[in-house]
């Protein structure tokens, strides 16, 4: 049918040049009495296909190069992205440039850079292997792998040149796209509204991207019902349709060898009947042979673009013939805009919908609404969106710019996030050994939009632990909390020369009440009171003597200031980390007046400072420098429980007085006084392989009088070889300290938690 229509158009052009009274297709009055033939309208339709859709760009360029006027354009899924950008005014060359310079890993994985994370997440966020939502008391699968906040921002940024236009028919080329309503199983045709939101719904691949809520509808990838909307293009008014189709009619079963390919094929099979009819309706059908690429091959854009180029050139003669025939019917000139992404925009007002008044004001405060109107960099707007998303307080967050008589309105859409999740992860290092962490997290949002968070950690390990945190968010900057924890830990105690003299075990139970002030994403001030009920068991190997201390109750007040803007805790390249802790300790209530810790009720303080700064040097190198200081005030000697436990290389967060030191075995020293500097050099020398050189130098002492004596000086150096994997770093480190006879071997597998 399509080929026949195309032949008729060519024949009509020939006849028209010879027959003066030829029958017209369309009549328009240029002058009274004059009747002219109006050329047929051309529509271009592009199918879905995920990353394979990059081929649309070169095929579209072939159509342009042939001189064919495009009067309508439409698409589904990835076809809606390319079609929408073309309608906004981007030419194929600009779209190709945007494609090849985009960080697709960041877009697809939806991973928030650490520098934008809230302090809560910097302190407590884990890299879980699996995470499941809990609904109605049951564990469910997530509706999608990613929420799509970065996709939202990318589409908004690229469509901003046309933000004033809400009617898609009034774009530089009239445009529509197709989505699927999951509630009614109906196709949804987008022809007005937010271009970015329309495209976002059309390309929401099931299970990969979260579906889009639009009123009462839940919209997903249009390819489920109509992956190739050629017949809709006919209904819109196109006389000639050029189709660019990426789907294959048949795939060998041997190629369907993983879940991704099965999902991709499933989307194609569901709408196969409609796609087959659509192909028959095309006057020219361009079908790039994508080869081995799949819908997530976003980093293989070069070969995919080449496939589109080859497919376009295969139809070069046919496309040129169509262009010539259209010129013969009615001469025309093609005038296309050459739009580029805009870098900044003036905003006169900021509005927020979907959340309560407190959250609205909190989000608006990021934009400094008191200083409006002003010009915003697009990157600045996106940074604010990511910062708010990273808190975990909001879901489905996106923005758009609306034109108004008073100026541009920035409208932020989001929903308050209530959730319950169950997750687990694992880690091994030879300080703490094998650990499997189970986490239950529950965020509640009340009617007045006050938040409450309950987080329960169960660490199933050689050294097990249990932690329960409860936080009430009075505002987004002020919160109150309660923590309960219990842990069991074993360690060796060393004499000089690295000979093990004792075996220690600690049973630690804590109850904490605290207040927190969080002025921004980077810093946090905590003031609290804690009760510690602890037991220390000491067994001397040589003499076979076991000293079991009774449980002691240690009450204390504390203040902690924490600042962090490091880019990555595992592969650090730049940023600060400042951790300052002061404790006012009231002696163990079981202690008698003759012990080494002072009289009952006489308080004393312990101070700890850990300050680090990382500097990026080029693309593959960084240097980190830091200093650690620990000391008591008001007493010369503290209980072992409060002393600095120095040694080991693990960065696990068991207790806040554990301090790693290069070359010293795990908890090699329990002491009251420490002052040392630490440096490390990081080098990513080949792809995901890296090395790190560590050097710690300073004074570790048991008494104030001997703190800076020469024989209290410790110097440790270490070399680490690591490999970055999706489940965390794999590291082997060899280190040596001058106070110990033998080197220390450290092995780490997985992310820290």
């Amino acid at each position: 049918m399509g080929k026949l229509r195309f032949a008729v158009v060519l024949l009509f052009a020939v006849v028209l040049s010879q027959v003066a009274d030829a029958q017209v297709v369309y009549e328009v009055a240029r002058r009274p009495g004059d009747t002219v033939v109006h050329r047929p309208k051309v529509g271009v339709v592009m199918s879905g296909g995920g990353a394979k859709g990059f081929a649309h760009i070169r095929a579209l360029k072939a159509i342009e190069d042939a001189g064919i006027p495009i009067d309508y354009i439409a698409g589904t899924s990835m076809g809606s992205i390319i079609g929408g950008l073309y309608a906004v005014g981007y030419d194929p060359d600009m779209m190709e440039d945007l494609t090849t310079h985009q960080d697709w890993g960041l877009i697809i994985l939806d991973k928030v850079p650490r520098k934008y994370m809230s302090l809560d997440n910097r302190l407590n966020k884990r890299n879980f292997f699996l995470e499941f939502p809990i609904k109605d008391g049951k564990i469910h699968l997530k509706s999608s792998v990613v929420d799509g906040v970065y996709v939202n921002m990318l589409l908004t940024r690229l469509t901003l040149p046309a933000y004033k236009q809400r009617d898609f028919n009034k774009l530089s080329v009239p445009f529509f796209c197709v989505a699927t309503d999951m509630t009614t199983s109906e196709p949804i045709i987008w022809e007005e509204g937010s271009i970015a939101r329309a495209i976002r719904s059309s390309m929401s691949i099931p299970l990969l991207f979260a579906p889009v809520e639009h009123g009462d509808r839940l919209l997903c990838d249009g390819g489920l019902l109509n992956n190739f909307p050629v017949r809709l293009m006919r209904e819109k008014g196109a006389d000639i349709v050029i189709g660019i189709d990426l789907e294959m009619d048949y795939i060998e079963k041997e190629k369907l060898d993983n879940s991704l390919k099965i999902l991709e094929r499933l989307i194609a099979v569901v709408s196969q009947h409609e796609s087959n009819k659509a192909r028959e309706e095309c006057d020219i059908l361009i079908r790039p042979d994508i080869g081995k690429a799949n819908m997530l091959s976003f980093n293989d854009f070069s070969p995919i673009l080449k496939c589109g180029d080859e497919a376009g050139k295969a139809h070069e003669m046919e496309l040129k013939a169509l262009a010539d025939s259209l010129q013969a019917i009615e001469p025309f000139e093609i005038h296309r805009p050459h739009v580029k992404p805009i870098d900044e925009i003036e905003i006169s007002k900021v509005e927020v919908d979907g959340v309560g008044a407190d959250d609205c004001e909190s989000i608006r405060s990021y934009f400094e609404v008191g200083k409006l109107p002003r010009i915003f960099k697009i990157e600045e707007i996106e940074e604010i969106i990511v910062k708010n998303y990273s808190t975990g307080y909001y879901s489905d967050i996106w923005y758009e710019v609306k034109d108004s008589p008073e100026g541009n309105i920035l409208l932020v859409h989001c929903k308050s996030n209530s959730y319950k999740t169950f997750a687990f992860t694992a880690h091994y290092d030879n300080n703490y050994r094998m650990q499997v962490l189970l986490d239950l997290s529950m965020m509640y949002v009340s009617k007045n939009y006050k938040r409450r968070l309950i987080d329960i950690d169960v660490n199933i390990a050689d050294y097990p632990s249990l932690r329960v945190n409860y936080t009430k968010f009075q505002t987004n900057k002020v919160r109150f909390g309660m923590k309960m924890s219990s842990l069991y830990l074993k360690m060796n105690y060393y004499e000089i020369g690295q000979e093990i003299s004792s075996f220690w075990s600690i049973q630690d139970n804590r109850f904490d009440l605290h207040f927190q002030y969080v002025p921004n994403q980077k810093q946090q001030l905590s003031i609290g009171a804690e009760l510690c009920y602890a037991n220390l068991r000491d067994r001397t190997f040589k003499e076979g003597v076991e000293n079991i201390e009774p449980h002691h109750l240690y009450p204390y007040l504390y203040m902690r200031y924490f600042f962090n803007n490091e880019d990555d805790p595992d592969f650090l390249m730049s940023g600060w980390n400042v951790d300052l802790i002061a404790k006012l300790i009231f002696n163990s209530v079981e202690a008698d007046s003759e012990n080494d810790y002072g009289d009952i009720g006489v308080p004393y303080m312990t101070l700890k400072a850990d300050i680090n700064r990382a500097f990026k040097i080029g693309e593959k190198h960084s240097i980190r420098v830091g200093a650690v200081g620990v000391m008591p005030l008001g007493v010369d000697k503290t209980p072992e429980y409060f002393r600095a436990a120095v040694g080991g290389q693990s960065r696990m967060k068991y207790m806040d007085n554990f301090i790693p030191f290069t070359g010293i075995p795990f908890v090699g020293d329990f002491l009251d006084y420490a002052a040392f500097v630490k440096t490390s050099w990081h080098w990513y020398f080949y792809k995901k392989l890296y090395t790190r050189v560590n050097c710690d130098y300073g004074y570790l002492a048991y008494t104030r009088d001997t703190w800076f004596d020469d024989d209290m000086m410790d110097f440790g150096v270490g070399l680490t070889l690591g490999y970055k994997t999706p489940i965390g770093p794999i590291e082997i480190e060899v280190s040596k300290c001058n106070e110990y006879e033998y080197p220390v071997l450290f092995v780490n597998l997985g992310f820290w938690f």
Side-chain angles (χ1 to χ4, degrees), residues 228-337:
F228 198 27
V230 173
R231 295 201 289 178
L232 290 174
M233 179 62 80
R234 292 280 184 205
E235 294 173 8
K236 191 172 180 67
D239 303 295
I240 299 172
V241 176
I242 302 173
I244 309 172
D245 182 28
L246 303 173
E247 297 302 329
M248 300 177 66
D249 297 323
Y250 172 81
I251 297 179
E252 297 84 356
K253 66 178 182 179
E254 291 78 12
K255 294 183 178 180
L256 300 173
D257 55 0
N258 60 59
S259 57
L260 180 61
K261 291 181 179 179
I262 293 292
L263 173 61
E264 182 180 359
R265 187 58 179 165
L266 177 62
I267 296 173
V269 168
V270 169
S271 61
Q272 188 72 48
H273 180 70
E274 178 63 33
S275 295
N276 288 339
K277 289 184 177 180
R279 295 182 189 110
E280 295 176 359
E281 287 281 329
C282 291
D283 297 291
I284 298 178
L285 179 60
I286 302 174
R287 304 192 72 181
D289 183 4
I290 303 301
K292 296 181 179 180
N294 59 56
M295 65 180 180
L296 291 184
S297 300
F298 285 94
N299 290 321
D300 295 331
F301 44 77
S302 293
I304 296 175
L305 287 167
K306 184 178 179 181
C307 291
D309 190 40
E310 293 172 350
K313 289 179 178 178
H315 291 268
E316 185 175 4
M317 297 300 294
E318 194 175 7
L319 293 171
K320 191 67 173 66
L322 174 59
D324 292 342
S325 69
L326 295 175
Q327 282 283 4
I329 294 173
E330 180 185 20
F332 58 86
E333 293 183 1
I334 299 175
H335 299 284
R336 281 283 299 156

Side-chain angles (χ1 to χ4, degrees), residues 432-668:
Y432 291 102
R433 303 186 184 175
M434 188 65 199
Q435 302 167 86
V436 176
L437 181 69
L438 308 180
D439 176 83
L440 176 63
S441 185
M442 296 169 281
M443 172 75 81
Y444 298 94
V445 182
S446 60
K447 292 182 180 180
N448 60 356
Y449 289 88
K450 301 295 184 183
R451 293 183 178 82
R452 291 172 174 82
L453 173 65
I454 300 174
D455 194 68
I456 302 172
D457 282 351
V458 178
N459 192 359
I460 302 172
D462 291 334
Y463 307 145
S465 66
L466 169 67
R467 295 182 177 90
V468 180
N469 297 337
Y470 170 82
T471 304
K472 180 181 179 181
F473 299 80
Q474 196 65 26
T475 69
N476 284 342
K477 293 185 177 181
V478 177
R479 61 200 62 170
F480 300 93
M482 177 183 70
K483 295 181 182 179
M484 293 181 291
S485 66
S486 179
L487 65 86
Y488 177 71
L489 187 61
K490 300 177 182 178
M491 64 203 75
N492 296 323
Y493 187 75
Y494 295 85
E495 292 180 344
I496 298 300
Q498 209 165 341
E499 181 179 353
I500 299 174
S501 61
S502 300
F503 175 82
W504 287 14
S505 63
I506 294 177
Q507 172 63 49
D508 177 270
N509 306 284
R510 301 190 185 197
F511 178 77
D512 172 287
L513 292 173
H514 61 270
F515 159 86
Q516 287 182 339
Y517 176 65
V518 185
N520 52 48
Q521 300 284 115
K522 301 175 183 178
Q523 53 188 329
Q524 181 183 88
L525 177 66
S526 303
I527 300 174
E530 189 161 290
L531 288 176
C532 301
Y533 190 58
N535 165 267
L536 178 65
R537 176 177 295 188
D538 178 8
R539 180 179 180 184
T540 303
F541 290 155
K542 290 182 179 179
E543 301 174 4
V545 177
E546 187 170 16
N547 177 26
I548 303 177
E549 291 284 339
H551 279 77
H552 291 276
L553 187 63
Y554 300 100
Y556 66 87
L557 304 176
Y558 70 89
M559 178 183 292
R560 182 186 186 190
Y561 173 78
F562 183 74
F563 178 96
N564 185 287
N565 64 350
E566 293 178 332
D567 58 350
D568 194 316
D570 298 294
F571 309 99
L572 184 62
M573 295 297 283
S574 64
W576 282 90
N577 184 89
V578 178
D579 195 358
L580 308 176
I581 303 175
K583 297 179 180 179
L584 180 62
I585 302 167
F586 303 93
N587 284 318
S588 166
V589 296
E590 289 85 359
D592 58 57
S593 59
E594 297 179 355
N595 66 20
D596 294 330
Y597 313 137
D599 295 333
I600 297 175
V602 177
Y604 57 90
M605 295 186 68
T606 61
L607 305 176
K608 177 189 173 185
D610 189 349
I611 303 174
N612 301 274
R613 176 72 163 98
F615 303 89
K616 185 176 181 180
I617 304 174
E619 293 299 319
K620 296 184 178 181
H621 300 266
S622 70
I623 293 177
R624 190 189 199 206
V625 296
V628 176
V630 177
M631 66 177 295
L633 293 177
V635 67
D636 290 329
K637 186 178 181 182
T638 63
E640 283 86 354
Y641 181 80
F642 286 105
R643 290 178 180 172
V646 179
Q649 285 68 50
S650 179
R651 298 196 297 274
M652 301 297 277
K653 303 171 184 176
Y654 263 73
M655 299 175 72
D656 59 22
N657 59 329
F658 279 30
I659 303 174
F661 192 101
T662 301
I664 296 181
F666 179 51
V667 195

Side-chain angles (χ1 to χ4, degrees), residues 607-612 626-632 643-647 657 659-662 664 669-679 695-704 706-716 737-738:
L607 305 176
K608 177 189 173 185
D610 189 349
I611 303 174
N612 301 274
V628 176
V630 177
M631 66 177 295
R643 290 178 180 172
V646 179
N657 59 329
I659 303 174
F661 192 101
T662 301
I664 296 181
D669 281 321
F670 273 88
L671 43 84
D672 287 306
Y673 300 89
F676 64 91
V677 296
K678 48 185 178 178
T679 60
C695 178
D696 295 346
Y697 174 89
Y699 295 89
L700 308 175
Y702 299 94
T703 65
R704 183 182 289 110
T706 61
W707 192 358
F708 293 102
D709 290 353
D710 290 342
D711 56 358
M712 292 294 104
M713 190 276 291
D714 286 74
F715 178 75
C737 178
N738 63 306

